[in-house]
Structure formats: structure tokens, C-alpha cells
């Protein structure tokens, strides 16, 4: 093995070998185990959330494969309707072309051309992450098989009356000219205004205060052109006499009623709310309840249409806003303008302000689909992990609105609907089948619907359409009901719920048995990662490393808010002054697994990643020590007689407990606990103790061949089992080392990923050996601590006394003299009888037994007293300074609470240090 661990030189050659040998494909006759990868957008690249979820999915798949299950991790990507169309349109714009100039057919050719050239970015990144997906089955939500499934579902749902075409309110992107889903709308708080308008009462009516008007407040003055009513709370006595009367709508001249509705909060503002059913989602519901007219005042561009007064027609919505406010002021009807913070809905793709807009769209009536989807979670057929997310799921599912599935785009699954000249709609797989289905004559001219389906429609079929449906293939039977879905809470409704509804409807199966919800990966300060904040971390930069200049350039390129670039650069240079070093894939994966503690958001900190990179080094160095002491030696591969030392029996027993802990953690989806058990065993038990305890056997000329073979066999077998145990989380380093260790451990095979996953054997657990080694560790650590506290050189042999011990302690001492002498550097051990005095000594306790190290002659008394006094002076000075700071009322009042608490903690620590040093000084002085 190379002297140092260099992940860049081993990882990708190993992955290429795995892929070349088709190890990722389902194999064997075990029970099926499948995970369907949430298909990432074909336009995108993997971010930290992907790396997190992929690490967990791959760990589960690799473990199941090693357990003998017939595993499939289904890969694929989503066609990402809006995002992909925008990418290609930008490319055309750079060549002074538009999609409308090209026409639909030529434009779609360009999109497919882009996909073939640039659509593989994510697949390449997944290979770097070590994803063991079956690449031979890679799917795309626009491939022929998926398209056939999408059409089949649409036609069946239409024929059953579940899909229909209707006019409803949608999120409308006036720049892209399409409806968009709630997930594609980002609402962030912005500074704006609240305009207070006076609406004159008709027919001489007055308020209780005698005013001939009422005051309404709005953040969108332009929408008043479409007002259909003014609403007040039913129990608001101020306006009770006005309900049923009318308003003379300013600028428009239309009379609109005053209505009472529970939607209004009488305590908010004036208690009067303008109702614009065609341009506000809440108002739309009020409008339906009161049968109000839906007055649409916008064009597709969000300009004012010809329903409005002529003065405003053709104006952009924001120009119309200014004109309307000015006209209200001129009429004396502008009560006031107040500063106001509000949530502004913007399109995720273009940052355009989204409008609620009344258009004709295709919908799925979800009521009949929702009932069995709710029952599947209620009866335990599908389980959410953590369980509290079931409440979120139920809350959404029990208040479902019909799902708008049409988009005004060209890229996507074109809706299989045709219209005749009278506007009658016909739905079928193609025009020929439509004519046959509806008995239409050849001379009836048909025009296909130009809209495409929402991307979420095709991805809702992902688990079963990828397995051959509507054909009932072997893959469909084996894998369509997958075992677990790993995803984020933000798409429980948009994707998880819709997959459950669609899969139950068309297959009578659940799409997955468990839904594991991960938290968000946040930056080291706990802030959400976003391009505008400049705190996004690319997982590949952590794996391969990146210099600071490249990192700054990457974070400031193509920002939607360029004015933030300077701030982003400053923060980046402060946080990563040297850029990011290369940590390798295994360190990143293990870090992410160690953070997966049950749905909580995660602060990602490079210090933790650094720690697990050191863990990889520890494993590497341990393997080098093992190989140096076993290669070319008898490791009992061929059944040689062996004699196991206490340490051998102990580490074998500890391995069984570790295997139990790791398997239990996996079974309960506590990846953090599995990672912790793996780390604790390798670092603190195998490396810190067992390797040290192996040396007295291996390096003792008096060790018998059976003793040597026993320790060598234990070294390689325990290491080999550990490599199998850690492999799902750390696939590359474990494979590299396993190839060298496996033959020594008597294991055959071409790859660790096809070996059996470790399971504890009860017969190998040895409570007696564990208790004996804990005693041994206690003595060794006690002596080492005394050396450290008294500044005694580690190389100096010590005379040690034991006192107040039991017969068992004495037996343990006699059985482990060699270990004690070698590891604690003990020259002699004297067992003191009850009541027998010991010289002035430093003491450590192991249970009831005292371990005594006489001080006389071990140290230069005067020099040690001087050294201790110097340390006491320094610590006392620091303590005095901090006590002074905490005694300063101004500091305590003005400093952040966290800073004050930190200073208090420092103060307590320093008091303990001074007390301990004084004790040591007194002990030395009494010698």
C-alpha cells in the first residue's frame, strides 16, 4: 500500500472497475430491495442536498446487496420543463434567434440536441459520489417508455372523468407565459407599500361615523380595476348596516356589493377588504361562495386588457399602478400610503413577479385519488420517517385542491387532446386513435392542444413507469413497490403525495414502503444555502478541492442580484481564505451519514469533514500496520493451530457489539448512530487499543507460533470484517484495502461490495474478556495520566504499587503483566498488603483498587515547583482578566448573551486549572 492515503488516485479507477463488471445490476435470487432515485433536473448539477440523500441511499443499497438481496437502485433524470426550455432559449438568444421563429418542431430538435450534449452532467457527478445505480436502466422522464406511460395515464383518467379542462386561478408567469406550480414560486419578504383608498358608498349610504365612503387597503392598487365586491366580517357591528348595499367603484364606475364573509378579520386594518376573485387566491374562494363575477383585467403579459377603462388599456401592471394611485389622489380618494413589508411571489426561474391569473387549464380532480392515498399511510402500508411528517402529509391531503397539470410550454409531454372547429375536445393516444374512438370522419379537421403536462405529472409515475408499466414485466413485479424513498420535506405534497395517489390508482401497489425525510443542509452559520447569499457548497469541490480564486469566481458568476457579488466575495474569502482542500468522496459521504440524525436540519462545518478525512487516514495507517505484520506470515488461513490472547478475544467480542449497533441503526434509519459506532470501534478500540495490545505478542521473541498466528489472524479478520461493515458508507477506501487484506483473512471474491454484510455472532461475545481489558485499560490510562500531570517522560520506566485490590484484581495483574509492562512502561509492580504504607505517590483509581506511582527520584523537585508556579501565575492572570471583564456591568449589559456565557465558561475552566495546579504543587512540595 502507498504510504499515505490519496483518495484521488484510487476512487475513480475503482468505480470504473465496478461499473465495467456490472456489479450494480440486480443479481441473485434474494428478496427484492429497490430504491427509485428522485430524478434530478437534467439541467442541473448535484448540490449538497443531493450528495446527502445519495450518500444515504447508496449506503442502504450497498448494505442490502451485501445482505444477499436482489437490489435495484433505479437512476434517471427529469426533463425539467421550464428550466430546460429556458436554457435552450437563452442559447438561441445568443444567436439572435427565438423559439417562435424556429417553430415547435425545430425548437424541440434543438432541445434534444442540447440534452444529448449537456444532459449527462449529473450522471458524471453521481459516479464521483460512488453511486451504485444500475446505469443500464437509466431513464429519462421524456424517453419513449415514460411517454407511453404518461399518455396511458392521461387518457384513462380523462375517460373516467378525473382529468378535466376548466377555468380556475393559477400562478402565472407573465414573462414565460405559463402556469407554474407553487414549488416554482419563491415568496420572500420585501419592502413595499400599503395604499389606503376611499371607496364611495352608493345611494347616499353612510358609515356609523357618518362617512360616505369606506377605506380599503391594498398592496396591488392595479387589481382594483377587477374588484367584484367589498367584504366585511359578519360580526363587525361597524358595517352591519352596510351589508347588502353597494360601492361606486372609483375610476371604473361599476357598482359592486358589500358582502359579509368569515374570511375577513375585523381587527386587521379598517376591517374592509376589496375582493378581486380573478387575481387573488383567497378572493377567488370568496367569489365562489358569493357567486361574484370573475373579472380578469390582465393579458398574458400582465398588461391591462380591454375590460378595464380605456385610459389604462395596454399599460404594464406596474405603470398602471402608478397611474391609478395618481388618479385616486387627484380625486381626493387617497387616504394614505404606508410603508409595508410584504411577501412578494416571484418565479423561481426568472425572478418575475407572479400573478394569480384566471385561465383555462387541464386539472386532475384529486378527491377520489386522495382517499386511498390517505388510508395507505393510516394503515401503515407506507411509513414516514421521522413519523411526525405524517401529520404534514395528512394536513395537505385532507385539504387538497384540484391539481393544475397543464403548462404553456413546448418542452414536455404534449397533452394528447385534439379540438374540432367548434372547440369540442377529444382525448386519445394519437390522432388516428382519437378518430376511431370518437367515430370522427376523415374530413373533420382536428387541432392538437399545444400545452404540455406539468413535469410533476410524469414524475408522479416514476416508480412504476420506470419498471415497464403498462406492461406487467418481471421488473414491475419485483421492483415497482420500492422499499424506501429518500427525499426532502418540501416536496411531500408536490411529489410524494402524487406518487402515492397515482401508483395506487394504476397498480394497486404502494410506490414505497417508507419515506425517509431528510433535513436541509445549511452552512456553518445555520443559514440556508442560496446563490444570492453566496454560501452554496458544491460537493465536488469538497471531494476534489478548489482554490480561493476559482471559488470566488464560481460563487459570483451569473448572480441574479449582481450588486451582492462584493459581499459574497468578502464572506467567501473570510470563510475559506485558502479555498477548500481535497477531502475525497469517502470522507464527505461518511460526514454526511454522521449528520443524518432523523430529519433535523444540518449545519455543515468543514471541521467535521476534516475530522473524518483524518479518520480515513487512521483506517489507512491501521491497514498498513496490519499488512506489515501479516503479509508473508502465517495468519492461519489454512487452519493452523491458534492461541488467542486476551486482547484478541476482547476485540472479537467488541466487533460483535459494533455489528449489532450498526445493523440496529441501519434498520431504524439512524445513519448517524451507525457512523458513530463504526468510528468509535475503529478509532478508539481497534487502533487506540487493539493494535497496541497486539505489539507485545508480535514483538515478543518468546511468543509461540500458535500465539503469533492467533494475533495475526485476529488482526486481519477483524479488519476485513470492519471493511465490510464500513463499506456502504465509505465504498472506495474499504474496497482498496479489502483487496489486500481479504486473502490474508481467508476471504475469496473480486470485490468487497459482493461480500456478506457482517452480522454479530452471539458465541463470539465474551463478557469476561471485555471486563478484563477494561481493567487493563484503566491501569494503563491511570499511569499515563499520572505521567502527563507530573510531566514524567513517557520513556521513563516506573515503579508502581497496587493497593486495596481484590483477588480478581491480583489475578488480572498476574495474567497481564506483559501488557502492563510494555504499554504503561512499568518496571515493577508491588502488591501492598492491607494496611501497608506506601511512599508519597500520585494515585489513580481502577474500581476500588489504587494504582500508586511514587514520586521520589522521578522529578527535579525544585524545577517542577518552578514550572508549576509559572503555570499557576499565567492561569491566575488570565482568570483575573476575565473576572474583571465579567465584573464590568457595561460589558455584561452590552455584549451578546452567547459571548457572556462563553466568558463565564472560560472563568470556570480557569478556576479548575488553578485549583488542580495548586494541588499538584502541594503534592510535589511534600516529597
Amino acid at each position: 500500500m502507498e504510504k499515505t492515503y490519496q483518495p484521488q488516485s484510487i476512487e475513480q479507477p475503482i468505480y470504473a472497475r465496478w461499473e465495467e463488471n456490472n456489479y450494480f445490476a440486480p443479481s441473485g435470487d434474494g428478496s427484492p430491495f429497490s430504491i427509485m432515485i428522485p430524478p434530478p433536473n437534467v439541467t442541473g448539477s448535484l448540490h449538497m442536498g443531493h450528495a446527502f440523500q445519495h450518500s444515504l441511499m447508496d449506503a442502504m443499497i450497498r448494505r442490502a446487496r451485501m445482505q444477499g438481496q436482489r437490489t435495484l437502485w433505479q437512476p434517471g433524470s427529469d426533463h425539467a420543463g421550464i428550466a430546460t426550455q429556458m436554457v435552450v432559449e437563452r442559447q438561441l438568444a445568443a444567436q439572435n434567434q427565438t423559439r417562435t421563429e424556429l417553430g415547435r418542431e425545430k425548437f424541440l430538435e434543438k432541445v434534444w440536441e442540447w440534452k444529448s450534449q449537456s444532459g449527462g452532467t449529473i450522471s458524471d457527478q453521481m459516479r464521483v459520489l460512488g453511486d451504485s445505480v444500475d446505469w443500464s436502466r437509466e431513464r429519462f422522464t421524456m424517453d419513449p417508455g415514460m411517454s407511453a406511460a404518461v399518455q396511458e395515464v392521461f387518457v384513462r383518467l380523462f375517460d373516467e372523468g378525473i382529468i378535466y379542462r376548466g377555468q380556475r386561478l393559477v400562478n402565472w408567469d407573465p414573462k414565460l407565459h405559463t402556469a407554474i406550480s407553487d414549488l416554482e414560486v419563491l415568496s420572500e419578504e420585501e419592502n413595499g407599500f400599503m395604499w389606503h383608498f376611499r371607496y364611495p358608498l352608493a345611494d347616499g349610504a353612510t358609515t356609523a361615523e357618518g362617512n360616505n365612503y369606506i377605506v380599503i387597503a391594498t398592496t396591488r392598487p392595479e387589481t382594483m380595476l377587477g374588484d367584484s365586491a367589498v367584504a366585511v366580517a359578519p360580526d363587525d357591528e361597524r358595517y352591519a348596516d352596510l351589508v347588502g348595499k353597494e360601492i361606486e367603484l372609483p375610476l371604473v364606475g361599476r357598482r359592486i356589493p358589500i358582502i359579509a364573509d368569515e374570511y375577513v378579520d375585523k381587527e386587521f386594518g379598517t376591517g374592509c377588504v376589496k375582493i378581486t376573485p380573478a387575481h387573488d387566491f383567497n378572493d377567488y374562494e370568496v367569489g365562489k361562495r358569493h357567486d361574484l363575477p370573475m373579472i380578469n383585467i390582465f393579458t398574458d403579459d400582465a398588461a391591462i386588457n380591454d375590460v378595464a377603462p380605456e385610459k389604462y388599456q395596454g399599460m404594464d401592471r406596474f405603470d398602471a399602478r402608478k397611474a391609478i394611485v395618481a388618479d385616486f389622489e387627484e380625486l381626493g380618494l387617497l387616504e394614505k400610503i404606508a410603508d409595508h413589508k410584504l411577501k412578494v411571489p416571484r418565479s423561481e426561474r426568472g425572478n418575475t413577479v407572479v400573478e394569480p391569473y384566471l385561465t383555462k387549464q387541464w386539472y386532475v380532480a384529486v378527491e377520489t385519488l386522495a382517499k386511498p392515498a390517505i388510508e395507505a399511510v393510516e394503515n401503515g402500508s407506507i411509513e414516514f420517517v421521522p413519523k411526525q411528517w405524517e401529520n404534514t402529509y395528512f394536513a395537505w391531503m385532507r385539504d387538497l385542491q384540484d391539481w393544475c397539470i397543464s403548462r404553456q410550454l413546448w418542452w414536455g409531454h404534449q397533452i394528447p387532446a385534439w379540438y374540432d372547429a367548434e372547440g369540442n375536445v377529444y382525448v386519445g393516444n394519437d390522432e388516428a386513435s382519437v378518430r376511431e374512438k370518437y367515430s370522427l370522419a376523415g374530413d373533420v379537421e382536428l387541432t392538437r392542444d399545444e400545452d404540455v403536462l406539468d413535469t410533476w405529472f410524469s414524475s408522479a409515475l416514476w416508480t412504476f413507469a420506470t419498471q415497464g408499466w403498462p406492461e406487467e414485466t418481471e421488473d414491475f413485479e419485483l421492483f415497482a413497490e420500492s422499499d424506501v424513498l429518500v427525499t426532502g420535506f418540501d416536496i411531500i405534497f408536490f411529489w410524494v403525495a402524487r406518487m402515492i395517489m397515482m401508483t395506487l390508482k394504476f397498480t394497486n401497489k404502494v410506490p414505497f414502503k417508507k419515506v425517509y425525510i431528510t433535513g436541509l443542509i445549511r452552512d456553518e452559520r445555520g443559514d440556508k444555502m442560496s446563490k444570492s447569499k453566496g454560501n452554496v457548497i458544491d460537493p465536488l469541490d469538497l471531494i476534489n478541492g478548489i482554490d480561493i480564486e476559482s471559488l470566488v469566481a464560481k460563487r459570483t458568476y451569473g448572480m441574479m442580484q449582481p450588486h451582492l457579488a462584493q459581499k459574497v466575495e468578502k464572506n467567501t474569502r473570510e470563510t475559506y481564505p485558502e479555498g477548500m482542500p481535497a477531502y475525497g468522496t469517502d470522507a464527505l459521504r461518511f460526514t454526511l451519514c454522521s449528520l443524518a440524525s432523523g430529519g433535523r436540519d444540518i449545519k455543515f462545518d468543514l471541521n467535521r469533514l476534516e475530522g473524518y478525512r483524518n479518520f480515513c487516514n487512521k483506517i489507512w495507517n491501521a491497514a498498513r500496520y496490519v499488512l506489515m505484520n501479516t503479509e508473508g506470515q502465517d495468519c492461519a488461513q489454512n487452519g493452523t493451530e491458534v492461541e488467542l490472547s486476551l486482547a484478541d478475544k476482547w476485540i472479537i467480542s467488541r466487533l460483535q457489539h459494533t455489528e449489532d449497533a450498526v445493523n440496529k441503526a441501519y434498520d431504524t434509519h439512524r445513519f448517524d448512530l451507525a457512523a458513530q459506532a463504526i468510528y468509535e470501534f475503529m478509532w478508539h478500540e481497534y487502533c487506540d487499543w487493539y493494535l497496541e495490545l497486539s505489539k507485545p505478542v508480535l514483538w515478543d521473541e518468546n511468543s509461540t507460533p500458535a500465539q503469533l498466528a492467533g494475533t495475526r489472524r485476529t488482526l486481519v479478520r477483524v479488519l476485513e470484517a470492519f471493511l465490510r461493515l464500513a463499506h456502504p458508507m465509505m465504498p472506495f477506501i474499504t474496497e482498496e484495502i479489502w483487496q489486500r487484506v481479504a486473502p490474508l483473512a481467508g476471504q475469496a471474491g473480486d470485490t468487497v461490495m459482493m461480500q456478506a454484510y457482517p452480522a454479530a455472532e452471539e458465541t463470539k461475545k465474551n463478557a469476561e474478556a471485555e471486563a478484563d481489558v477494561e481493567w487493563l485499560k484503566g491501569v494503563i490510562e491511570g499511569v499515563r495520566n499520572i505521567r502527563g500531570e507530573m510531566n514524567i517522560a513517557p520513556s521513563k520506566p516506573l515503579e508502581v504499587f497496587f493497593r486495596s485490590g481484590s483477588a480478581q484484581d491480583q489475578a488480572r495483574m498476574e495474567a497481564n503483566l506483559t501488557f502492563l509492562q510494555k504499554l504503561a512502561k512499568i518496571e515493577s509492580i508491588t502488591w501492598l498488603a492491607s494496611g501497608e504504607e506506601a511512599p508519597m505517590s500520585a494515585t489513580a483509581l481502577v474500581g476500588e483498587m489504587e494504582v500508586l506511582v511514587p514520586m521520589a527520584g522521578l522529578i527535579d523537585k525544585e524545577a517542577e515547583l518552578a514550572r508549576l508556579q509559572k503555570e499557576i501565575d499565567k492561569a491566575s492572570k488570565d482568570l483575573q482578566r476575565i473576572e474583571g471583564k465579567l465584573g464590568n456591568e457595561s460589558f455584561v449589559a452590552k455584549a451578546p448573551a452567547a459571548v457572556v456565557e462563553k466568558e463565564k465558561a472560560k472563568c470556570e475552566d480557569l478556576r479548575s486549572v488553578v485549583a488542580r495546579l495548586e494541588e499538584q504543587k502541594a503534592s510535589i512540595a511534600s516529597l
Side-chain angles (χ1 to χ4, degrees):
M1 284 175 64
E2 291 293 329
K3 192 170 182 180
T4 56
Y5 167 57
Q6 300 291 343
Q8 283 67 35
S9 66
I10 66 170
E11 290 180 349
Q12 285 316 293
I14 287 174
Y15 192 91
R17 189 166 71 245
W18 285 335
E19 190 175 348
E20 188 181 318
N21 285 285
N22 204 29
Y23 290 147
F24 305 152
S27 62
D29 300 316
S31 57
F33 182 93
S34 60
I35 296 177
M36 307 294 159
I37 207 164
N41 286 352
V42 70
T43 53
S45 58
L46 294 185
H47 52 62
M48 285 298 286
H50 288 122
F52 181 34
Q53 292 176 356
H54 285 216
S55 296
L56 303 185
M57 283 186 273
D58 198 35
M60 285 189 280
I61 278 287
R62 286 178 182 272
R63 175 174 176 256
R65 187 184 290 122
M66 294 173 78
Q67 289 177 320
Q69 294 183 266
R70 195 171 176 182
T71 55
L72 170 64
W73 188 11
Q74 173 66 57
S77 54
D78 190 280
H79 63 277
I82 294 178
T84 306
Q85 183 158 317
M86 284 181 69
V87 166
V88 178
E89 285 199 60
R90 277 199 292 265
Q91 286 185 348
L92 290 175
Q95 300 161 20
N96 294 316
Q97 285 183 298
T98 65
R99 68 180 167 100
T100 48
E101 288 169 357
L102 275 183
R104 185 171 196 140
E105 194 175 325
K106 292 281 187 192
F107 176 74
L108 291 179
E109 284 175 12
K110 289 280 186 189
V111 180
W112 281 108
E113 189 180 302
W114 172 86
K115 197 262 177 190
S116 67
Q117 290 170 357
S118 308
T121 302
I122 281 183
S123 301
D124 294 340
Q125 292 172 324
M126 286 167 62
R127 287 175 167 89
V128 174
L129 281 173
D131 288 2
S132 61
V133 296
D134 184 357
W135 291 111
S136 69
R137 297 166 183 256
E138 188 173 12
R139 299 298 299 271
F140 180 53
T141 51
M142 285 277 287
D143 69 30
M146 285 295 295
S147 294
V150 167
Q151 286 207 335
E152 181 75 15
V153 166
F154 187 96
V155 173
R156 285 198 207 176
L157 290 178
F158 178 82
D159 290 346
E160 289 182 41
I162 294 173
I163 282 183
Y164 66 93
R165 196 160 185 260
Q167 192 170 50
R168 295 169 67 104
L169 214 55
V170 297
N171 296 309
W172 184 260
D173 185 322
K175 184 177 179 184
L176 297 175
H177 288 185
T178 182
I180 58 177
S181 73
D182 289 347
L183 195 65
E184 293 160 322
V185 178
L186 301 178
S187 294
E188 293 192 1
E189 203 169 69
E190 298 181 18
N191 292 321
F193 302 99
M194 183 77 82
W195 287 270
H196 295 252
F197 291 157
R198 294 176 179 178
Y199 275 15
L201 294 162
D203 303 324
T206 58
T207 64
E209 292 85 16
N211 295 324
N212 63 354
Y213 60 85
I214 57 174
V215 177
I216 62 91
T218 180
T219 59
R220 298 158 67 214
E222 65 280 7
T223 61
M224 61 80 51
L225 300 174
D227 284 358
S228 295
V230 169
V232 297
D235 60 346
D236 194 335
E237 295 175 2
R238 294 172 296 174
Y239 305 113
D241 293 342
L242 294 178
V243 174
K245 294 188 166 36
E246 293 184 319
I247 295 286
E248 189 78 39
L249 189 61
L251 311 184
V252 180
R254 182 168 64 244
R255 281 192 167 209
I256 59 174
I258 298 171
I259 60 173
D261 193 274
E262 296 287 350
Y263 163 63
V264 180
D265 177 2
K266 67 180 180 182
E267 304 300 329
F268 184 77
T270 63
C272 300
V273 178
K274 63 188 277 307
I275 302 299
T276 319
H279 297 292
D280 182 278
F281 288 103
N282 291 316
D283 292 4
Y284 179 76
E285 296 302 323
V286 174
K288 284 201 296 184
R289 285 196 289 274
H290 295 271
D291 199 24
L292 298 174
M294 307 273 174
I295 303 169
N296 178 24
I297 60 156
F298 288 136
T299 66
D300 289 354
D301 295 311
I304 307 300
N305 66 18
D306 56 9
V307 169
E310 189 175 351
K311 174 178 180 178
Y312 308 109
Q313 289 174 18
M315 278 187 181
D316 172 78
R317 56 186 161 163
F318 299 118
D319 294 334
R321 176 178 296 181
K322 292 173 188 169
I324 286 166
V325 171
D327 289 346
F328 263 85
E329 188 170 24
E330 191 176 326
L331 292 169
L333 298 177
L334 179 62
E335 176 92 355
K336 65 174 179 176
I337 302 173
D339 290 338
H340 182 68
K341 280 193 181 295
L342 69 159
K343 293 261 186 166
V344 178
R346 292 185 179 273
S347 169
E348 179 188 35
R349 300 297 170 191
N351 207 37
T352 313
V353 175
V354 169
E355 284 294 341
Y357 189 49
L358 199 62
T359 63
K360 214 161 196 182
Q361 303 283 348
W362 288 92
Y363 291 89
V364 175
V366 293
E367 188 177 352
T368 58
L369 301 176
K371 189 172 180 289
I374 291 170
E375 287 171 358
V377 177
E378 285 177 334
N379 66 27
S381 299
I382 297 171
E383 178 189 348
F384 278 77
V385 181
K387 196 170 178 63
Q388 71 259 24
W389 288 111
E390 290 179 4
N391 297 327
T392 304
Y393 174 78
F394 290 138
W396 277 333
M397 293 298 287
R398 288 170 180 148
D399 190 30
L400 269 185
Q401 302 296 313
D402 286 356
W403 171 18
C404 176
I405 55 170
S406 48
R407 298 290 180 265
Q408 290 63 56
L409 303 168
W410 284 357
W411 173 243
H413 295 281
Q414 192 171 354
I415 290 173
W418 282 259
Y419 304 93
D420 62 18
E422 284 75 45
N424 297 310
V425 64
Y426 308 100
V427 170
N429 285 317
D430 52 39
E431 187 174 334
S433 63
V434 161
R435 290 185 183 279
E436 184 180 345
K437 180 177 175 182
Y438 294 94
S439 305
L440 298 175
D443 60 351
V444 175
E445 192 174 327
L446 294 177
T447 306
R448 187 167 183 177
D449 195 310
E450 292 201 345
D451 288 355
V452 299
L453 287 163
D454 175 16
T455 301
W456 295 106
F457 188 88
S458 50
S459 57
L461 321 182
W462 186 245
T463 59
F464 61 95
T466 54
Q467 304 310 307
W469 188 91
E471 303 300 321
E472 294 203 2
T473 62
E474 183 187 10
D475 286 346
F476 174 77
E477 288 303 320
L478 285 171
F479 303 121
E481 188 169 279
S482 65
D483 288 82
V484 61
L485 174 75
V486 178
T487 189
F489 66 86
D490 52 339
I491 54 174
I492 290 175
F493 174 60
F494 292 99
W495 190 44
V496 178
R498 288 165 179 172
M499 276 200 287
I500 295 172
M501 289 192 287
M502 289 297 203
T503 309
L504 284 168
K505 170 71 178 171
F506 288 98
T507 72
N508 208 28
K509 297 174 184 277
V510 293
F512 25 72
K513 295 160 195 164
K514 288 189 178 176
V515 183
Y516 179 83
I517 301 293
T518 63
L520 288 176
I521 299 273
R522 297 180 177 273
D523 72 6
E524 64 282 349
R525 297 180 186 87
D527 292 332
K528 188 174 179 180
M529 291 188 188
S530 71
K531 182 82 176 168
S532 62
K533 288 179 183 169
N535 60 351
V536 171
I537 298 174
D538 181 341
L540 268 66
D541 290 342
L542 297 175
I543 291 169
N544 300 321
I546 186 170
D547 65 78
I548 183 59
E549 299 307 326
S550 302
L551 183 59
V552 167
K554 189 174 192 173
R555 287 183 160 192
T556 53
Y557 174 75
M559 294 184 70
M560 295 183 81
Q561 296 169 284
H563 64 281
L564 295 175
Q566 200 171 353
K567 183 181 176 184
V568 166
E569 178 172 357
K570 180 174 179 286
N571 289 343
T572 301
R573 291 188 185 278
E574 283 177 2
T575 310
Y576 308 105
E578 305 297 324
M580 295 174 180
Y583 293 101
T585 300
D586 286 324
L588 175 61
R589 285 174 58 127
F590 197 78
T591 302
L592 293 168
C593 289
S594 77
L595 294 167
S597 57
R600 297 189 193 96
D601 284 0
I602 289 157
K603 282 186 187 177
F604 192 82
D605 183 347
L606 283 195
N607 290 329
R608 189 183 284 257
L609 181 56
E610 179 76 34
Y612 289 125
R613 175 63 163 77
N614 293 340
F615 181 48
C616 291
N617 285 337
K618 191 84 167 177
I619 297 169
W620 189 264
N621 292 334
R624 291 187 72 246
Y625 168 83
V626 171
L627 290 170
M628 282 191 289
N629 285 283
T630 56
E631 281 189 316
Q633 304 286 341
D634 179 9
C635 299
Q637 304 101 310
N638 302 315
T640 308
E641 182 190 348
V642 297
E643 181 184 333
L644 299 183
S645 71
L646 170 64
D648 297 334
K649 293 171 188 173
W650 169 74
I651 198 66
I652 291 167
S653 182
R654 293 307 306 147
L655 176 64
Q656 310 315 306
H657 290 289
T658 303
E659 289 169 356
D660 270 342
V662 171
N663 281 306
K664 181 183 176 185
Y666 267 118
D667 291 340
T668 54
H669 300 285
R670 286 301 302 269
F671 301 94
D672 58 328
L673 298 182
Q676 183 183 355
I678 287 167
Y679 179 90
E680 292 288 333
F681 175 79
M682 173 49 63
W683 193 294
H684 296 302
E685 294 184 324
Y686 190 77
C687 292
D688 283 359
W689 284 105
Y690 179 64
L691 295 188
E692 292 305 307
L693 290 167
S694 72
K695 291 173 185 177
V697 178
L698 295 176
W699 298 353
D700 188 344
E701 292 177 359
N702 298 316
S703 294
T704 67
Q707 289 171 332
L708 289 168
T711 294
R712 289 192 194 113
R713 189 182 77 170
T714 305
L715 277 169
V716 293
R717 284 194 178 182
V718 171
L719 177 58
E720 189 276 336
F722 168 81
L723 295 171
R724 286 184 281 125
L725 193 67
H727 174 75
M729 291 185 180
M730 310 173 83
F732 294 113
I733 190 171
T734 52
E735 177 73 278
E736 180 73 7
I737 298 171
W738 187 87
Q739 293 292 337
R740 295 286 294 273
V741 170
L744 298 171
Q747 293 284 355
D750 295 324
T751 173
V752 68
M753 68 182 289
M754 294 301 191
Q755 300 300 307
Y757 197 71
E761 296 178 51
E762 290 299 317
T763 56
K764 291 183 178 179
K765 290 180 180 175
N766 190 325
E768 186 181 346
E770 292 193 39
D772 287 349
V773 170
E774 284 309 308
W775 179 91
L776 182 61
K777 287 162 64 179
V779 174
I780 294 168
E781 285 176 333
V783 174
R784 286 176 176 174
N785 288 341
I786 290 170
R787 284 183 186 276
E789 287 169 7
M790 299 302 177
N791 206 26
I792 301 166
S795 59
K796 186 172 183 62
L798 297 178
E799 181 186 4
V800 174
F801 292 82
F802 286 177
R803 185 169 63 186
S804 305
S806 65
Q808 188 181 42
D809 290 327
Q810 194 158 5
R812 282 169 169 165
M813 178 197 77
E814 289 165 0
N816 294 290
L817 265 176
T818 303
F819 287 135
L820 290 170
Q821 288 168 345
K822 299 285 187 188
L823 272 66
K825 199 70 177 174
I826 294 174
E827 187 172 46
S828 66
I829 299 176
T830 303
W831 192 272
L832 295 176
S834 179
E836 191 176 346
E837 283 297 316
M840 181 64 197
S841 302
T843 306
L845 281 176
V846 179
E848 297 296 317
M849 185 181 78
E850 292 176 272
V851 178
L852 307 166
V853 178
M855 292 289 97
L858 286 177
I859 55 174
D860 179 333
K861 181 177 174 180
E862 296 309 318
E864 184 63 12
L865 286 172
R867 184 188 72 80
L868 286 169
Q869 188 59 53
K870 191 175 178 183
E871 287 194 33
I872 289 167
D873 292 345
K874 180 179 182 300
S876 299
K877 188 177 177 183
D878 290 342
L879 177 60
Q880 196 176 3
R881 178 177 55 79
I882 292 173
E883 283 177 335
K885 192 186 282 189
L886 290 170
N888 181 339
E889 290 180 12
S890 174
F891 168 76
V892 174
K894 291 178 182 176
V899 172
V900 174
E901 286 305 311
K902 195 173 178 183
E903 292 299 309
K904 284 180 179 177
K906 276 190 205 169
C907 197
E908 286 305 310
D909 287 346
L910 283 166
R911 285 193 186 116
S912 298
V913 167
V914 171
R916 194 168 68 250
L917 290 169
E918 291 285 8
E919 280 178 23
Q920 286 182 29
K921 184 184 170 190
S923 296
I924 298 297
S926 67
L927 287 176

